[in-house]
Amino acid sequence: MTQVEERAKLAAQQEFPDADILPAEWIPEELNRAMLALEKLHVDDFAEEFEECYRMLTNPASVPEVPEDSAEIIFAPFLVNEDDEVAYVPTPVIKYRDESGEAHYTHKESRYEELLDEPHLTKFPVTLPPLEFKDGDYEFPDGFQIFIIEHLLAQLRDVYRHVGEEPPEYCKETDIWGKPLTTEDEEYYD
């Protein structure tokens, strides 16, 4: 897939917003909705909803089945309703490798899988490697809420780059990890 093809898909999705061409995480307007939903979420509610995400990102071995230093990526999606509010945050899933190098995943919630079919809910992923924050950086909960919003901002930056466009100024400045792979990466074409 080339940037031209990806740009055409985005243009088609924007022209026909009700069509199912791209997932929400690849549509700038939808990523803006996700950021708005997180910004509107009171910090106490954020703490309750995202505590597991923070723990799994900063200490994946705290999950009994995940051996020390074996976690590769944490998938922490959340669902946003039509009122741009966070409607559901499932327990994150960790991809890790066992001693033989075989990939495994922690348990996925069945309730989350059921909710994905609800037309009034939109899925947004937080996909990050295990993290170690410097003391004082992105402290839980309010600092981590800012970090997750900045991660979505970085995803937005990467969506624009993916389609060969210059990102808006407000999302150029973030140096946080965004999308795992875009057309900007040589590995995308392998």
Side-chain angles (χ1 to χ4, degrees):
M1 207 53 65
T2 67
Q3 283 183 335
V4 172
E5 290 169 313
E6 293 299 330
R7 177 69 192 108
K9 284 184 194 176
L10 179 58
Q13 183 68 69
Q14 290 170 327
E15 183 70 25
F16 304 101
D18 293 334
D20 192 18
I21 300 167
L22 292 171
E25 66 200 73
W26 288 97
I27 304 168
E29 298 80 11
E30 292 294 319
L31 281 168
N32 282 323
R33 280 186 58 227
M35 287 185 281
L36 175 63
L38 288 174
E39 288 170 4
K40 288 175 23 178
L41 192 60
H42 189 277
V43 71
D44 293 337
D45 296 328
F46 178 86
E48 185 177 322
E49 295 291 347
F50 285 86
E51 184 174 15
E52 283 292 295
C53 177
Y54 182 80
R55 181 181 61 82
M56 293 171 117
L57 276 170
T58 59
N59 186 13
S62 67
V63 177
E65 71 235 52
V66 180
E68 192 74 37
D69 298 324
S70 67
E72 292 186 348
I73 197 107
I74 291 87
F75 303 98
F78 62 98
L79 301 176
V80 173
N81 65 23
E82 292 170 330
D83 295 325
D84 298 334
E85 298 168 334
V86 174
Y88 187 70
V89 181
T91 301
V93 172
I94 298 176
K95 178 184 176 187
Y96 65 97
R97 297 209 178 259
D98 64 20
E99 291 176 3
S100 70
E102 184 177 343
H104 297 275
Y105 296 85
T106 56
H107 178 73
K108 220 185 244 187
E109 283 185 25
S110 58
R111 183 172 192 287
Y112 169 69
E113 295 295 318
E114 293 166 11
L115 288 172
L116 285 176
D117 295 331
E118 294 292 327
H120 67 284
L121 296 175
T122 307
K123 171 189 160 191
F124 294 98
V126 172
T127 308
L128 291 163
L131 299 171
E132 189 174 317
F133 295 117
K134 294 177 188 170
D135 285 339
D137 284 355
Y138 302 113
E139 289 183 3
F140 190 82
D142 49 343
F144 188 62
Q145 185 172 10
I146 291 167
F147 175 82
I148 295 298
I149 292 168
E150 286 181 0
H151 170 60
L152 292 171
L153 189 63
Q155 287 187 32
L156 180 60
R157 172 202 64 209
D158 293 350
V159 164
Y160 281 103
R161 290 178 177 164
H162 183 67
V163 297
E165 291 186 9
E166 193 67 25
E169 285 299 320
Y170 68 92
C171 61
K172 277 185 185 178
E173 296 174 17
T174 187
D175 60 354
I176 289 178
W177 200 61
K179 295 283 187 191
L181 192 64
T182 70
T183 57
E184 292 279 300
D185 303 303
E186 287 184 29
E187 303 88 44
Y188 184 84
Y189 300 98
D190 291 342

